[in-house]
Amino acid sequence: MLIRRERADDAAAIAAVHRSAFAPRYADAGDTDGAGVPGSADPPEVNLITRLRSDEGWIPTLSLVAIEHDSVVGHLCLTRAAVGPFPVLALGPIGVLADHQGSGVGSALMHAALGAADALDEPLIGLLGSLEFYPRFGFVPAARLGITPDDPAWISHFQVRSLSAYDSRITGEFHYAEPFYNL
Protein backbone atom coordinates (compact mmCIF):
# COMPACT_ATOMS: atom_id res chain seq x y z
CA MET A 1 0.00 0.00 0.00
CA LEU A 2 1.15 3.52 -0.81
CA ILE A 3 -0.07 6.70 0.90
CA ARG A 4 0.22 9.83 -1.23
CA ARG A 5 -1.46 13.17 -1.59
CA GLU A 6 -4.66 13.40 -3.59
CA ARG A 7 -4.42 14.25 -7.29
CA ALA A 8 -7.12 15.96 -9.35
CA ASP A 9 -7.92 12.73 -11.18
CA ASP A 10 -8.59 10.95 -7.85
CA ALA A 11 -11.84 12.84 -7.16
CA ALA A 12 -14.22 10.18 -8.53
CA ALA A 13 -12.37 7.36 -6.76
CA ILE A 14 -12.40 9.33 -3.50
CA ALA A 15 -16.16 9.85 -3.81
CA ALA A 16 -16.53 6.10 -4.38
CA VAL A 17 -14.48 5.40 -1.23
CA HIS A 18 -16.71 7.60 0.94
CA ARG A 19 -19.85 6.21 -0.72
CA SER A 20 -18.70 2.67 0.08
CA ALA A 21 -17.56 3.53 3.60
CA PHE A 22 -20.58 5.55 4.72
CA ALA A 23 -23.63 4.47 2.69
CA PRO A 24 -24.28 1.39 4.87
CA ARG A 25 -24.43 3.59 7.98
CA TYR A 26 -27.16 5.77 6.49
CA ALA A 27 -29.05 2.86 4.94
CA ASP A 28 -29.11 1.13 8.34
CA ALA A 29 -30.44 4.31 9.91
CA GLY A 30 -33.30 4.39 7.40
CA ASP A 31 -32.16 7.63 5.78
CA THR A 32 -33.68 8.33 2.42
CA ASP A 33 -33.02 10.56 -0.54
CA GLY A 34 -36.01 12.77 0.22
CA ALA A 35 -38.18 10.74 -2.14
CA GLY A 36 -38.62 7.96 0.39
CA VAL A 37 -36.08 5.62 -1.19
CA PRO A 38 -33.79 4.21 1.50
CA GLY A 39 -30.09 4.50 0.84
CA SER A 40 -30.31 5.92 -2.69
CA ALA A 41 -28.75 9.31 -1.90
CA ASP A 42 -25.03 9.84 -1.45
CA PRO A 43 -23.88 9.97 2.16
CA PRO A 44 -23.14 13.56 3.26
CA GLU A 45 -19.40 12.82 3.41
CA VAL A 46 -19.29 12.61 -0.41
CA ASN A 47 -20.64 16.14 -0.80
CA LEU A 48 -18.57 17.40 2.15
CA ILE A 49 -15.34 16.57 0.32
CA THR A 50 -16.55 18.41 -2.78
CA ARG A 51 -17.44 21.50 -0.76
CA LEU A 52 -14.21 21.39 1.24
CA ARG A 53 -12.13 21.41 -1.94
CA SER A 54 -13.53 24.87 -2.78
CA ASP A 55 -13.30 26.24 0.77
CA GLU A 56 -10.48 28.45 2.04
CA GLY A 57 -9.82 25.83 4.73
CA TRP A 58 -8.77 23.23 2.12
CA ILE A 59 -5.11 22.19 2.33
CA PRO A 60 -4.31 20.15 -0.81
CA THR A 61 -1.10 18.69 0.64
CA LEU A 62 -3.09 17.18 3.53
CA SER A 63 -5.67 15.31 1.47
CA LEU A 64 -4.25 11.81 1.39
CA VAL A 65 -5.19 8.63 -0.45
CA ALA A 66 -4.25 5.02 0.17
CA ILE A 67 -3.37 3.21 -3.05
CA GLU A 68 -3.37 -0.54 -3.47
CA HIS A 69 -2.71 -2.11 -6.89
CA ASP A 70 -3.14 1.31 -8.58
CA SER A 71 -6.60 1.81 -7.02
CA VAL A 72 -7.69 4.30 -4.37
CA VAL A 73 -8.88 2.26 -1.38
CA GLY A 74 -8.93 4.97 1.30
CA HIS A 75 -8.98 8.72 1.81
CA LEU A 76 -8.43 11.16 4.66
CA CYS A 77 -8.17 14.92 4.72
CA LEU A 78 -7.08 17.54 7.19
CA THR A 79 -8.49 21.04 6.78
CA ARG A 80 -7.81 24.38 8.42
CA ALA A 81 -9.74 24.96 11.63
CA ALA A 82 -9.25 27.28 14.58
CA VAL A 83 -9.27 27.29 18.35
CA GLY A 84 -10.02 30.90 19.12
CA PRO A 85 -7.32 32.89 17.26
CA PHE A 86 -5.03 29.87 16.85
CA PRO A 87 -4.90 28.00 13.52
CA VAL A 88 -5.20 24.24 13.97
CA LEU A 89 -6.34 21.30 11.85
CA ALA A 90 -9.55 19.29 11.66
CA LEU A 91 -9.54 15.66 10.59
CA GLY A 92 -12.29 14.27 8.47
CA PRO A 93 -13.74 12.65 6.77
CA ILE A 94 -11.70 9.49 6.71
CA GLY A 95 -13.04 6.60 4.65
CA VAL A 96 -11.95 3.16 3.51
CA LEU A 97 -13.64 0.99 0.90
CA ALA A 98 -15.98 -1.41 2.71
CA ASP A 99 -14.12 -4.49 1.49
CA HIS A 100 -10.80 -3.09 2.77
CA GLN A 101 -11.96 -2.08 6.24
CA GLY A 102 -10.16 -3.79 9.09
CA SER A 103 -7.03 -4.36 7.00
CA GLY A 104 -4.96 -1.43 8.30
CA VAL A 105 -5.76 1.11 5.58
CA GLY A 106 -7.37 3.57 8.01
CA SER A 107 -4.50 3.22 10.46
CA ALA A 108 -1.94 3.81 7.70
CA LEU A 109 -3.80 6.95 6.62
CA MET A 110 -3.94 8.18 10.23
CA HIS A 111 -0.22 7.67 10.78
CA ALA A 112 0.62 9.41 7.49
CA ALA A 113 -1.66 12.37 8.31
CA LEU A 114 -0.25 12.77 11.81
CA GLY A 115 3.30 12.67 10.46
CA ALA A 116 2.56 15.15 7.68
CA ALA A 117 0.81 17.59 10.02
CA ASP A 118 3.63 17.37 12.54
CA ALA A 119 6.25 17.94 9.82
CA LEU A 120 4.37 21.09 8.80
CA ASP A 121 4.57 22.39 12.41
CA GLU A 122 0.85 22.23 12.94
CA PRO A 123 0.06 22.29 16.67
CA LEU A 124 -3.12 20.29 17.00
CA ILE A 125 -5.71 18.17 15.20
CA GLY A 126 -9.34 18.03 16.29
CA LEU A 127 -12.06 15.61 15.27
CA LEU A 128 -15.52 14.38 16.06
CA GLY A 129 -15.39 10.60 16.05
CA SER A 130 -15.23 7.16 17.55
CA LEU A 131 -14.04 6.86 21.13
CA GLU A 132 -12.81 3.35 20.27
CA PHE A 133 -10.78 4.14 17.12
CA TYR A 134 -9.02 7.47 17.61
CA PRO A 135 -7.45 7.17 21.10
CA ARG A 136 -4.99 4.58 19.73
CA PHE A 137 -3.48 7.47 17.72
CA GLY A 138 -3.11 9.71 20.76
CA PHE A 139 -6.43 11.54 20.58
CA VAL A 140 -7.88 12.54 23.94
CA PRO A 141 -11.12 14.23 25.00
CA ALA A 142 -10.65 17.87 23.97
CA ALA A 143 -11.77 19.16 27.34
CA ARG A 144 -8.53 17.79 28.85
CA LEU A 145 -6.67 20.48 26.91
CA GLY A 146 -9.23 23.21 27.57
CA ILE A 147 -10.79 22.96 24.11
CA THR A 148 -14.52 22.72 23.48
CA PRO A 149 -16.43 22.15 20.25
CA ASP A 150 -18.57 25.05 19.09
CA ASP A 151 -21.57 22.71 19.07
CA PRO A 152 -22.21 21.51 22.65
CA ALA A 153 -23.91 18.35 21.32
CA TRP A 154 -20.48 17.16 20.13
CA ILE A 155 -18.74 17.28 23.52
CA SER A 156 -18.85 13.53 24.22
CA HIS A 157 -17.08 12.53 20.98
CA PHE A 158 -14.92 15.59 20.32
CA GLN A 159 -11.21 14.74 20.58
CA VAL A 160 -7.86 16.40 19.92
CA ARG A 161 -4.31 15.25 19.28
CA SER A 162 -1.49 17.61 20.16
CA LEU A 163 1.59 17.61 17.93
CA SER A 164 5.19 18.76 18.46
CA ALA A 165 4.33 22.45 17.88
CA TYR A 166 1.51 22.37 20.45
CA ASP A 167 1.31 25.35 22.79
CA SER A 168 -0.71 25.10 26.00
CA ARG A 169 -2.14 28.59 25.33
CA ILE A 170 -4.27 26.98 22.60
CA THR A 171 -7.53 26.80 24.51
CA GLY A 172 -11.10 27.79 23.81
CA GLU A 173 -13.71 26.97 21.22
CA PHE A 174 -12.86 24.81 18.20
CA HIS A 175 -14.31 25.89 14.85
CA TYR A 176 -14.27 23.70 11.72
CA ALA A 177 -14.11 24.94 8.12
CA GLU A 178 -17.58 26.15 7.14
CA PRO A 179 -18.63 23.16 4.99
CA PHE A 180 -18.75 20.99 8.13
CA TYR A 181 -21.70 23.03 9.37
CA ASN A 182 -23.81 22.34 6.28
CA LEU A 183 -24.02 18.56 6.47
Side-chain angles (χ1 to χ4, degrees):
M1 177 180 10
L2 168 73
I3 306 293
R4 65 164 169 76
R5 69 183 278 188
E6 169 186 342
R7 297 179 189 151
D9 62 346
D10 292 328
I14 290 169
V17 162
H18 291 294
R19 200 171 288 118
S20 173
F22 292 102
R25 174 187 303 167
Y26 296 101
D28 292 345
D31 286 357
T32 66
D33 66 353
V37 180
S40 64
D42 269 344
E45 290 81 1
V46 174
N47 192 34
L48 174 60
I49 292 294
T50 301
R51 289 185 314 214
L52 283 169
R53 284 188 186 109
S54 62
D55 186 79
E56 64 185 23
W58 183 250
I59 305 171
T61 56
L62 295 177
S63 181
L64 306 175
V65 293
I67 305 294
E68 191 172 272
H69 305 295
D70 296 325
S71 297
V72 174
V73 297
H75 173 257
L76 170 153
C77 68
L78 297 168
T79 53
R80 181 59 60 209
V83 173
F86 300 98
V88 299
L89 296 174
L91 189 148
I94 176 174
V96 176
L97 288 175
D99 63 353
H100 283 71
Q101 292 175 4
S103 67
V105 174
S107 291
L109 282 164
M110 286 296 300
H111 288 297
L114 291 169
D118 199 50
L120 292 170
D121 288 327
E122 294 291 343
L124 177 94
I125 300 171
L127 63 82
L128 183 63
S130 167
L131 298 174
E132 290 78 40
F133 183 73
Y134 296 104
R136 72 181 83 165
F137 303 102
F139 284 85
V140 298
R144 287 190 194 168
L145 298 181
I147 298 170
T148 57
D150 57 2
D151 184 335
W154 297 345
I155 194 81
S156 65
H157 286 77
F158 190 71
Q159 303 165 65
V160 295
R161 168 66 151 79
S162 61
L163 301 170
S164 297
Y166 173 71
D167 183 327
S168 62
R169 292 177 294 172
I170 301 174
T171 60
E173 192 173 82
F174 186 97
H175 188 79
Y176 280 95
E178 288 306 312
F180 282 95
Y181 300 97
N182 301 316
L183 289 176

mmCIF file of all heavy atoms in Angstrom, residues 112-138:
data_model
loop_
_atom_site.group_PDB
_atom_site.id
_atom_site.type_symbol
_atom_site.label_atom_id
_atom_site.label_comp_id
_atom_site.label_asym_id
_atom_site.label_seq_id
_atom_site.Cartn_x
_atom_site.Cartn_y
_atom_site.Cartn_z
ATOM 1 N N ALA A 112 0.075 8.510 8.506
ATOM 2 C CA ALA A 112 0.617 9.413 7.487
ATOM 3 C C ALA A 112 0.147 10.848 7.731
ATOM 4 O O ALA A 112 0.939 11.793 7.620
ATOM 5 C CB ALA A 112 0.206 8.939 6.093
ATOM 6 N N ALA A 113 -1.121 11.023 8.074
ATOM 7 C CA ALA A 113 -1.663 12.366 8.307
ATOM 8 C C ALA A 113 -1.024 13.005 9.541
ATOM 9 O O ALA A 113 -0.663 14.188 9.520
ATOM 10 C CB ALA A 113 -3.182 12.294 8.469
ATOM 11 N N LEU A 114 -0.876 12.237 10.600
ATOM 12 C CA LEU A 114 -0.246 12.770 11.811
ATOM 13 C C LEU A 114 1.200 13.180 11.535
ATOM 14 O O LEU A 114 1.644 14.255 11.963
ATOM 15 C CB LEU A 114 -0.305 11.741 12.941
ATOM 16 C CG LEU A 114 -1.690 11.459 13.514
ATOM 17 C CD1 LEU A 114 -1.646 10.243 14.427
ATOM 18 C CD2 LEU A 114 -2.249 12.676 14.234
ATOM 19 N N GLY A 115 1.921 12.350 10.796
ATOM 20 C CA GLY A 115 3.303 12.672 10.457
ATOM 21 C C GLY A 115 3.407 13.899 9.569
ATOM 22 O O GLY A 115 4.270 14.761 9.787
ATOM 23 N N ALA A 116 2.537 13.995 8.589
ATOM 24 C CA ALA A 116 2.561 15.146 7.682
ATOM 25 C C ALA A 116 2.234 16.437 8.427
ATOM 26 O O ALA A 116 2.905 17.456 8.248
ATOM 27 C CB ALA A 116 1.580 14.926 6.528
ATOM 28 N N ALA A 117 1.203 16.399 9.264
ATOM 29 C CA ALA A 117 0.810 17.593 10.018
ATOM 30 C C ALA A 117 1.925 18.018 10.975
ATOM 31 O O ALA A 117 2.228 19.211 11.110
ATOM 32 C CB ALA A 117 -0.486 17.325 10.780
ATOM 33 N N ASP A 118 2.549 17.057 11.623
ATOM 34 C CA ASP A 118 3.632 17.366 12.544
ATOM 35 C C ASP A 118 4.818 17.969 11.790
ATOM 36 O O ASP A 118 5.411 18.950 12.248
ATOM 37 C CB ASP A 118 4.046 16.097 13.302
ATOM 38 C CG ASP A 118 4.818 16.400 14.559
ATOM 39 O OD1 ASP A 118 4.357 17.248 15.368
ATOM 40 O OD2 ASP A 118 5.888 15.785 14.753
ATOM 41 N N ALA A 119 5.140 17.419 10.633
ATOM 42 C CA ALA A 119 6.254 17.936 9.822
ATOM 43 C C ALA A 119 5.993 19.361 9.345
ATOM 44 O O ALA A 119 6.940 20.112 9.111
ATOM 45 C CB ALA A 119 6.501 17.018 8.624
ATOM 46 N N LEU A 120 4.726 19.737 9.227
ATOM 47 C CA LEU A 120 4.367 21.094 8.803
ATOM 48 C C LEU A 120 4.236 22.049 9.992
ATOM 49 O O LEU A 120 3.741 23.160 9.845
ATOM 50 C CB LEU A 120 3.064 21.061 7.997
ATOM 51 C CG LEU A 120 3.164 20.374 6.641
ATOM 52 C CD1 LEU A 120 1.784 20.178 6.029
ATOM 53 C CD2 LEU A 120 4.068 21.176 5.711
ATOM 54 N N ASP A 121 4.630 21.590 11.175
ATOM 55 C CA ASP A 121 4.574 22.392 12.407
ATOM 56 C C ASP A 121 3.165 22.810 12.789
ATOM 57 O O ASP A 121 2.960 23.874 13.379
ATOM 58 C CB ASP A 121 5.486 23.625 12.327
ATOM 59 C CG ASP A 121 6.954 23.249 12.415
ATOM 60 O OD1 ASP A 121 7.268 22.267 13.125
ATOM 61 O OD2 ASP A 121 7.774 23.928 11.780
ATOM 62 N N GLU A 122 2.208 21.978 12.471
ATOM 63 C CA GLU A 122 0.847 22.227 12.944
ATOM 64 C C GLU A 122 0.790 21.833 14.421
ATOM 65 O O GLU A 122 1.434 20.861 14.835
ATOM 66 C CB GLU A 122 -0.152 21.402 12.133
ATOM 67 C CG GLU A 122 -0.252 21.807 10.682
ATOM 68 C CD GLU A 122 -0.900 23.181 10.484
ATOM 69 O OE1 GLU A 122 -1.555 23.701 11.411
ATOM 70 O OE2 GLU A 122 -0.746 23.720 9.373
ATOM 71 N N PRO A 123 0.036 22.566 15.238
ATOM 72 C CA PRO A 123 0.060 22.294 16.670
ATOM 73 C C PRO A 123 -0.923 21.236 17.160
ATOM 74 O O PRO A 123 -0.675 20.588 18.177
ATOM 75 C CB PRO A 123 -0.295 23.652 17.277
ATOM 76 C CG PRO A 123 -1.183 24.283 16.250
ATOM 77 C CD PRO A 123 -0.629 23.826 14.922
ATOM 78 N N LEU A 124 -2.018 21.058 16.435
ATOM 79 C CA LEU A 124 -3.115 20.286 17.004
ATOM 80 C C LEU A 124 -4.072 19.841 15.909
ATOM 81 O O LEU A 124 -4.271 20.554 14.934
ATOM 82 C CB LEU A 124 -3.868 21.208 17.971
ATOM 83 C CG LEU A 124 -5.098 20.695 18.669
ATOM 84 C CD1 LEU A 124 -4.693 20.152 20.034
ATOM 85 C CD2 LEU A 124 -6.085 21.811 18.870
ATOM 86 N N ILE A 125 -4.658 18.667 16.101
ATOM 87 C CA ILE A 125 -5.706 18.169 15.201
ATOM 88 C C ILE A 125 -6.936 17.867 16.059
ATOM 89 O O ILE A 125 -6.822 17.211 17.094
ATOM 90 C CB ILE A 125 -5.271 16.891 14.460
ATOM 91 C CG1 ILE A 125 -4.036 17.148 13.608
ATOM 92 C CG2 ILE A 125 -6.422 16.354 13.607
ATOM 93 C CD1 ILE A 125 -3.420 15.888 13.012
ATOM 94 N N GLY A 126 -8.087 18.326 15.608
ATOM 95 C CA GLY A 126 -9.343 18.033 16.293
ATOM 96 C C GLY A 126 -10.238 17.199 15.406
ATOM 97 O O GLY A 126 -10.131 17.247 14.174
ATOM 98 N N LEU A 127 -11.109 16.414 16.035
ATOM 99 C CA LEU A 127 -12.057 15.610 15.266
ATOM 100 C C LEU A 127 -13.255 15.225 16.126
ATOM 101 O O LEU A 127 -13.196 15.219 17.348
ATOM 102 C CB LEU A 127 -11.398 14.345 14.720
ATOM 103 C CG LEU A 127 -10.858 13.313 15.710
ATOM 104 C CD1 LEU A 127 -11.942 12.393 16.232
ATOM 105 C CD2 LEU A 127 -9.779 12.496 15.041
ATOM 106 N N LEU A 128 -14.309 14.913 15.452
ATOM 107 C CA LEU A 128 -15.516 14.377 16.062
ATOM 108 C C LEU A 128 -15.586 12.940 15.593
ATOM 109 O O LEU A 128 -15.729 12.687 14.398
ATOM 110 C CB LEU A 128 -16.738 15.166 15.583
ATOM 111 C CG LEU A 128 -18.073 14.779 16.170
ATOM 112 C CD1 LEU A 128 -18.105 15.026 17.669
ATOM 113 C CD2 LEU A 128 -19.183 15.590 15.499
ATOM 114 N N GLY A 129 -15.426 11.981 16.519
ATOM 115 C CA GLY A 129 -15.389 10.605 16.048
ATOM 116 C C GLY A 129 -15.369 9.573 17.139
ATOM 117 O O GLY A 129 -15.503 9.868 18.332
ATOM 118 N N SER A 130 -15.157 8.351 16.722
ATOM 119 C CA SER A 130 -15.228 7.158 17.548
ATOM 120 C C SER A 130 -14.278 7.201 18.740
ATOM 121 O O SER A 130 -13.073 7.421 18.590
ATOM 122 C CB SER A 130 -14.897 5.924 16.696
ATOM 123 O OG SER A 130 -14.676 4.802 17.514
ATOM 124 N N LEU A 131 -14.840 6.925 19.912
ATOM 125 C CA LEU A 131 -14.036 6.856 21.135
ATOM 126 C C LEU A 131 -13.248 5.549 21.206
ATOM 127 O O LEU A 131 -12.383 5.395 22.056
ATOM 128 C CB LEU A 131 -14.933 7.002 22.362
ATOM 129 C CG LEU A 131 -15.677 8.336 22.452
ATOM 130 C CD1 LEU A 131 -16.647 8.327 23.623
ATOM 131 C CD2 LEU A 131 -14.720 9.504 22.538
ATOM 132 N N GLU A 132 -13.546 4.614 20.313
ATOM 133 C CA GLU A 132 -12.807 3.350 20.268
ATOM 134 C C GLU A 132 -11.643 3.405 19.283
ATOM 135 O O GLU A 132 -10.610 2.787 19.507
ATOM 136 C CB GLU A 132 -13.734 2.184 19.876
ATOM 137 C CG GLU A 132 -14.762 1.804 20.937
ATOM 138 C CD GLU A 132 -15.945 2.763 20.982
ATOM 139 O OE1 GLU A 132 -16.413 3.188 19.907
ATOM 140 O OE2 GLU A 132 -16.384 3.110 22.082
ATOM 141 N N PHE A 133 -11.795 4.131 18.175
ATOM 142 C CA PHE A 133 -10.781 4.135 17.121
ATOM 143 C C PHE A 133 -9.664 5.155 17.358
ATOM 144 O O PHE A 133 -8.482 4.826 17.274
ATOM 145 C CB PHE A 133 -11.446 4.392 15.763
ATOM 146 C CG PHE A 133 -10.509 4.350 14.585
ATOM 147 C CD1 PHE A 133 -9.989 3.145 14.128
ATOM 148 C CD2 PHE A 133 -10.143 5.510 13.930
ATOM 149 C CE1 PHE A 133 -9.122 3.097 13.036
ATOM 150 C CE2 PHE A 133 -9.282 5.480 12.836
ATOM 151 C CZ PHE A 133 -8.772 4.269 12.397
ATOM 152 N N TYR A 134 -10.005 6.396 17.633
ATOM 153 C CA TYR A 134 -9.018 7.471 17.614
ATOM 154 C C TYR A 134 -8.058 7.533 18.798
ATOM 155 O O TYR A 134 -6.906 7.970 18.627
ATOM 156 C CB TYR A 134 -9.713 8.818 17.383
ATOM 157 C CG TYR A 134 -10.361 8.868 16.026
ATOM 158 C CD1 TYR A 134 -11.738 8.730 15.883
ATOM 159 C CD2 TYR A 134 -9.590 8.999 14.875
ATOM 160 C CE1 TYR A 134 -12.328 8.735 14.626
ATOM 161 C CE2 TYR A 134 -10.166 9.005 13.619
ATOM 162 C CZ TYR A 134 -11.535 8.875 13.500
ATOM 163 O OH TYR A 134 -12.112 8.878 12.268
ATOM 164 N N PRO A 135 -8.432 7.113 19.999
ATOM 165 C CA PRO A 135 -7.448 7.166 21.099
ATOM 166 C C PRO A 135 -6.165 6.370 20.835
ATOM 167 O O PRO A 135 -5.098 6.742 21.326
ATOM 168 C CB PRO A 135 -8.226 6.592 22.298
ATOM 169 C CG PRO A 135 -9.635 7.011 22.007
ATOM 170 C CD PRO A 135 -9.772 6.815 20.505
ATOM 171 N N ARG A 136 -6.222 5.337 20.013
ATOM 172 C CA ARG A 136 -4.993 4.580 19.727
ATOM 173 C C ARG A 136 -3.964 5.407 18.966
ATOM 174 O O ARG A 136 -2.801 5.027 18.868
ATOM 175 C CB ARG A 136 -5.318 3.293 18.967
ATOM 176 C CG ARG A 136 -5.726 3.515 17.516
ATOM 177 C CD ARG A 136 -6.061 2.229 16.804
ATOM 178 N NE ARG A 136 -7.428 1.861 17.112
ATOM 179 C CZ ARG A 136 -8.138 0.978 16.461
ATOM 180 N NH1 ARG A 136 -7.598 0.315 15.469
ATOM 181 N NH2 ARG A 136 -9.378 0.719 16.781
ATOM 182 N N PHE A 137 -4.397 6.563 18.431
ATOM 183 C CA PHE A 137 -3.482 7.468 17.718
ATOM 184 C C PHE A 137 -3.125 8.683 18.569
ATOM 185 O O PHE A 137 -2.583 9.656 18.065
ATOM 186 C CB PHE A 137 -4.102 7.909 16.389
ATOM 187 C CG PHE A 137 -4.454 6.752 15.507
ATOM 188 C CD1 PHE A 137 -5.772 6.334 15.400
ATOM 189 C CD2 PHE A 137 -3.474 6.046 14.828
ATOM 190 C CE1 PHE A 137 -6.099 5.240 14.602
ATOM 191 C CE2 PHE A 137 -3.790 4.958 14.038
ATOM 192 C CZ PHE A 137 -5.108 4.552 13.932
ATOM 193 N N GLY A 138 -3.458 8.624 19.853
ATOM 194 C CA GLY A 138 -3.106 9.708 20.760
ATOM 195 C C GLY A 138 -4.173 10.771 20.943
ATOM 196 O O GLY A 138 -3.921 11.782 21.603
#
